[in-house]
Amino acid sequence: MLTKKQLDLLEFIHKRLQADGVPPSFDEMKEALDLRSKSGIHRLITALEERGFIRRLAHRARALEIVKLPDALQGRGFTPRVIEGDRPDASPPPAAKPVEAAGAVELPVMGRIAAGVPIAAISEESSRVAVPQGMIGRGPHYALEVRGDSMIDMGINDGDVVVIRETATADDGDVVVALVEEQEATLKRFRRQGSSIALEAANPAYETRILPAAMVKVQGCLVGLIRTY
C-alpha cells in the first residue's frame, strides 16, 4: 500500500497529464499537497520510484516515467507519460525473495523500512516471505526489508527482513514502524515524553528524534527478524 501523500501525489500527476498533457512542476506538486518545501516532494517521488510506479528514463536528465497506477487509481485512461524529476541515475532495488520453511505462514513483503535516516515506506506488496508459525500472534502481520544501520546494537542489520504486527498503538520501549508526517517511515524504539514522541536508535551514531505526538503514527510493532546469509 502507499501512504496517503504518495497516493495524492501520484493522482495529482495523473490528473494533470490527462487534462493538460503536461506534467506539473515540483512547485505545483508542493502547492497541491500543501507541503512546506520541495524536499518533501523529492522524497515522495523517490518512494514512488522505489515502488515501481515511476521509472527514471535512461539518458534523459531530470525525467521520470509513470509506469503504473495502484488499484485505487486504475480505470481512468492511464498511459505511461514523462514527468519532471531531479534524481540521479539509479537502478531500482531488487525485491526481497521469499523463503520456504516447514510449519510456516506466508506474509506479504510490503517494501522497505529505514533503520537510519527515514525513507518513504510502506508500499504495495512486492513479494511474499515464509515465516515460522510460532513467530506470528493474533491479528494481521506483514514484513519489511531493512535499510540502514541505526538498529545494529539490537541485532537488526541492513538487509534483514523484519516481521511486523500491524497495530496503531505501542508501549514504551517497543520497536515500531513509525510514520512521520504521513511521508516517511522508520524503524525505531518508541518512547513517550510528555506531549512528544521519542524515536530512539540503537546505534550511538544516530541521535534520538523527538517529535510532536501528532506528527508520529505507529504502523506496527516488531515481532521477529529473518536474516539471509
Side-chain angles (χ1 to χ4, degrees):
M1 59 185 174
L2 296 178
T3 66
K4 184 178 185 302
K5 287 291 187 183
Q6 291 164 7
L7 186 62
D8 287 348
L9 179 60
L10 195 58
E11 183 175 19
F12 175 65
I13 293 167
H14 171 58
K15 286 182 176 178
R16 281 292 301 273
L17 285 169
Q18 295 298 306
D20 304 333
V22 178
S25 68
F26 271 51
D27 284 326
E28 290 170 328
M29 295 180 203
K30 176 174 70 73
E31 183 176 349
L33 271 67
D34 194 27
L35 297 180
R36 291 188 293 272
S37 69
K38 287 190 287 188
S39 63
I41 294 296
H42 296 166
R43 289 193 295 268
L44 294 172
I45 289 290
T46 298
L48 291 171
E49 183 182 10
E50 289 180 344
R51 305 320 182 251
F53 293 99
I54 292 174
R55 179 173 60 224
R56 178 187 45 80
L57 297 179
H59 311 302
R60 294 185 61 179
R62 301 178 62 83
L64 300 170
E65 181 182 36
I66 299 178
V67 295
K68 68 176 181 178
L69 290 174
D71 292 343
L73 301 182
Q74 290 290 354
R76 303 184 185 182
F78 170 75
T79 54
R81 301 296 295 270
V82 175
I83 68 167
E84 201 176 291
D86 66 348
R87 292 257 302 150
D89 286 356
S91 300
K97 296 181 180 180
V99 297
E100 296 183 359
V105 294
E106 283 197 340
L107 295 180
V109 178
M110 300 301 292
R112 294 175 168 190
I113 183 70
V117 178
I119 57 175
I122 312 293
S123 73
E124 292 191 334
E125 178 180 337
S126 60
S127 62
R128 298 187 74 82
V129 62
V131 175
Q133 206 159 20
M135 191 181 291
I136 304 299
R138 294 182 178 179
H141 292 67
Y142 58 91
L144 293 166
E145 183 183 356
V146 173
R147 280 289 173 260
D149 62 356
S150 74
M151 301 301 287
I152 56 173
D153 287 352
M154 290 190 65
I156 302 172
N157 298 331
D158 183 67
D160 288 346
V161 173
V162 289
V163 178
I164 304 296
R165 175 176 57 84
E166 190 172 336
T167 178
T169 62
D171 296 325
D172 283 354
D174 285 347
V175 176
V176 304
V177 175
L179 186 65
V180 179
E181 292 190 279
E182 298 285 351
Q183 295 181 51
E184 303 170 327
T186 188
L187 187 72
K188 292 290 184 291
R189 191 181 292 279
F190 174 94
R191 293 194 191 279
R192 293 179 181 85
Q193 292 188 359
S195 61
S196 300
I197 298 296
L199 299 177
E200 300 176 349
N203 181 336
Y206 293 84
E207 294 183 356
T208 296
R209 297 183 71 191
I210 300 177
L211 301 163
M215 292 175 58
V216 179
K217 291 184 178 179
V218 173
Q219 303 283 285
C221 290
L222 176 72
V223 297
L225 178 72
I226 300 170
R227 179 166 300 153
T228 302
Y229 294 94

